[in-house]
Amino acid sequence: FEAELQSAGLGLDVAVLDEAGDGEVAAGEQGELACRSAFPCAPLAFLGDDREGSKYRAAYFDDAFGGGRAWQHGDWVEPTENGGLIIHGRSDATLNPGGVRIGTAEIYNAIE
């Protein structure tokens, strides 16, 4: 199907959750891309993080989003009737080119 990912993720417990992370959105509605279970390619920690993994947890497991139980991917997506996904952009307004996290506001400020 044109302009959509053909599947959510092979071997991943992927869901498109509402803003609070409490429930899945219906096809045609936008929500946060999340993984509800551990997956093989997920990082275990950030280099230089403390023993509790504070930076890692803050980056991907926000307690306000589903009680911190789901990996928050940082993308707004829309599930389709075909079982695919349409990506609409970043939910956290953060880009990560080459490992350097920048906010989209920084780009707009430089352009304007």
Side-chain angles (χ1 to χ4, degrees), residues 33-80:
L33 181 62
C35 293
R36 295 180 290 198
S37 302
F39 52 99
C41 60
L44 300 175
F46 288 162
L47 185 65
D49 202 354
D50 58 28
R51 298 191 89 186
E52 291 77 32
S54 300
K55 291 179 185 176
Y56 175 72
R57 289 210 47 81
Y60 295 112
F61 297 93
D62 183 354
D63 287 337
F65 181 79
R69 296 180 307 275
W71 168 287
Q72 212 171 343
H73 199 272
D75 291 314
W76 280 117
V77 299
E78 172 188 337
T80 67

Side-chain angles (χ1 to χ4, degrees), residues 2 9 18 21 24 39 42-43 52 56 67 73 79 81 83 88 90 105 110:
E2 190 174 333
D18 60 24
E24 292 191 46
F39 52 99
E52 291 77 32
Y56 175 72
H73 199 272
E81 296 288 337
H88 289 278
R90 297 292 299 168

